[in-house]
Structures are given as structure tokens and as C-alpha cells.
Amino acid sequence: MSAVTDAVRADAPGNRLVRSVRDSLVVARRNLIRMTRIPEMVLFGIIQPVMFVVLFTYVFGGSIKVGSTTDSGVYKDFLMAGIFAQTVTFATAGSAAGIADDMQKGLVDRFRSLPMARGAVLTGRTVADLAQTAVTLLVLAIVALLVGWRTGTAEPTDPGRILAGFGLLLLLGYAFTWIGALIGLSVRTPEAATSGGIIWLFPVTFVSNAFVDSTQMTPWLRHIADWNPFSASVQACRELFGNPGVSTSDAWPMQHPVWATLLYSILIIAVFRTLAVRKYRGAAG
């Protein structure tokens, strides 16, 4: 009787939630330790966005019009929100490749033999990727300051709003890692996961307001850019950072970018986490 009671208690909703959180943290710790033992994973993840900052700042600065000016300093402040957002979304490829690698090595079968929550494997992986993204974002912000980026250049801001901007970026990055998780579970090799995790990001990030003012686009392309979830995040960060790039679009995401970013991110997490966990259970079944 006591054994039956203990089993019922263990399956109680509250206990299942606690066990899922605990198991997710264990898996996250495992992935973070793995990252520290392979530092080139973090290093290469930092080098790419730094190159984007330098290239776009010094190659395109002064050539692209923001509003009514082509001033390189204005473009620099306009650009950084887009680079930050691109950096967190490109972490999708790393998530996809890491999960595909674990699948290929048979890690799924090993986790199956353990009494742990099924969704914890993917949640732990995405949390670890979020921690790596936060480190990359911190380094990138320092580099941006070194090349001349400043907050509050277009309108006053404060530390709380700046932190909120980075918080939205990390939320967007976490949402996109679930897309990467689904891709990693859907392909056979890490190489295919890397390609599949990044190729679709180019139209998402470039058909947006990240690198050019969307008012300079043709009407049909501007409409797509204005409703792009990536554009909403970029616009929200510009507003919170006090950087130039005020939108004249009537599209709801551009008029309410902070709320749009929250809604888009939550929706992406809800949809792709459900699909990824279902895919994982099917692979482990």
C-alpha cells in the first residue's frame, strides 16, 4: 500500500513539474560543461557576430540611408539592434547541430534508460544554448561600444529599458532554439542540421528592418518585413535602446513592437516546443 501511495505522489502534477525542472537543469549542466571543455564552440560563436559588426559598420556605414541621412554614426546606432537580434537567432544552427549530434551518438537511447522526464533533454539543451547566447551577446555589446555604438542617441533611455531590450533578445533567441531543436531531431547528421538550421535564417534576417530602413523597400517587400517577427524584435530594441529607426509603418508589430515580440516569442516556443517534444518521443519510442 505504501509503495502504491509513493507512486501516486511521484506522479502528482506538482511533483512531475519539480522533477522535470530538476532533470532539465541536470541536462543543461551537462551541456554547459561540454561547452567549457570545447571552448572553440563558444569562440567561433563570438567571432562571427563580431565580424558582422565590423563589416557592416565600416563597409556599409555612410552608404545606407536611415531616414533622411546617410551619416555613418547614425547608421552605426541604427545597425546594432539588428546585429544583436541576428546573433541570437543564428544560435539556432548550433542548437540543431548539437541535438543532431546527440541523436547520432545514441544519447537518446541512454537517456531513455534513465527515470527522467522526456522533455527535459530538449529543455536542458535549449537552456544551455541560451546561456551561451547570453555570453556571446555580452561580448558583442562590449565590441559595439568599442566601435562607437551608444544608447540614447535618438531619444532618452535608462538602464531598465536597456536591460529589457537585452531580455527581449534572449527571449527571441530562446524561442528560435526550439526551432533548431525540431530541425536537429528531423535530420540524420549534424552537418545537415547546421545547414538546415541556418539557411532559412538569411531571408528572415535580411528581409527585415535590421540592416536597412524598411521604408526604402518596395511596398510588397516592406509589408513582409513589417510583419516579420524578427523585425518586431529589432524595432523593440531600437525603442528601448533609444537608437534611431522610428517606424512610420501602420503595421501593428511596428506600432507595438515590444508586445509583438513577446507574443511572437511565446507563440514560437509553444508551437515548436510541442512539435520538438513530440518528435523526440517518437524518436525515442
Side-chain angles (χ1 to χ4, degrees):
M1 184 69 178
S2 177
V4 173
T5 303
D6 291 341
V8 171
R9 288 176 178 172
D11 286 336
N15 290 337
R16 286 202 301 268
L17 178 61
V18 171
R19 188 180 67 174
S20 179
V21 171
R22 183 193 63 210
D23 294 343
S24 298
L25 292 176
V26 170
V27 176
R29 182 173 177 270
R30 172 256 177 192
N31 283 288
L32 288 172
I33 291 173
R34 180 168 178 259
M35 289 175 187
T36 60
R37 292 176 178 175
I38 312 176
E40 55 267 29
M41 292 174 59
V42 180
L43 181 62
F44 292 149
I46 292 174
I47 289 175
Q48 178 179 305
V50 169
M51 290 177 61
F52 271 108
V53 170
V54 175
L55 288 173
F56 274 88
T57 298
Y58 294 108
V59 175
F60 296 104
S63 301
I64 296 179
K65 181 182 289 188
V66 178
S68 59
T69 181
T70 56
D71 182 84
S72 60
V74 173
Y75 181 69
K76 189 184 300 178
D77 293 331
F78 171 87
L79 170 71
M80 286 315 305
I83 294 289
F84 289 146
Q86 184 193 54
T87 299
V88 299
T89 54
F90 270 41
T92 302
S95 300
I99 291 175
D101 185 54
D102 288 343
M103 292 279 291
Q104 189 181 55
K105 292 178 179 177
L107 195 65
V108 170
D109 293 331
R110 281 179 251 172
F111 279 128
R112 275 180 60 194
S113 65
L114 301 175
M116 64 185 301
R118 289 286 179 91
V121 175
L122 299 180
T123 302
R125 174 76 208 195
T126 56
V127 169
D129 289 335
L130 178 63
Q132 181 180 349
T133 300
V135 172
T136 303
L137 200 57
L138 175 61
V139 174
L140 188 59
I142 294 172
V143 173
L145 291 171
L146 291 176
V147 300
W149 171 68
R150 297 293 183 268
T151 59
T153 54
E155 59 184 37
T157 188
D158 57 69
R161 289 170 62 86
I162 294 170
L163 290 175
F166 283 110
L168 285 179
L169 287 169
L170 291 175
L171 178 62
L172 178 72
Y174 183 69
F176 272 60
T177 57
W178 281 107
I179 301 178
L182 181 61
I183 292 172
L185 291 167
S186 304
V187 298
R188 297 181 180 181
T189 65
E191 293 79 11
T194 301
S195 299
I198 201 170
I199 192 169
W200 60 275
L201 283 172
F202 282 100
V204 169
T205 56
F206 281 93
V207 184
S208 72
N209 60 359
F211 307 110
V212 297
D213 188 346
S214 62
T215 60
Q216 309 297 322
M217 300 179 182
T218 57
W220 67 271
L221 196 60
R222 178 183 179 182
H223 185 73
I224 295 174
D226 288 344
W227 284 92
N228 184 346
F230 184 81
S231 293
S233 300
V234 173
Q235 188 65 28
C237 289
R238 286 187 181 131
E239 289 190 3
L240 294 170
F241 293 158
N243 287 150
V246 176
S247 176
T248 57
S249 171
D250 293 330
W252 185 83
M254 295 296 99
Q255 293 297 315
H256 307 278
V258 174
W259 285 110
T261 301
L262 289 171
L263 290 174
Y264 278 137
S265 298
I266 292 171
L267 181 63
I268 291 171
I269 292 171
V271 171
F272 284 92
R273 187 185 189 280
T274 301
L275 294 174
V277 171
R278 185 178 299 171
K279 186 78 174 179
Y280 176 81
R281 287 174 175 168

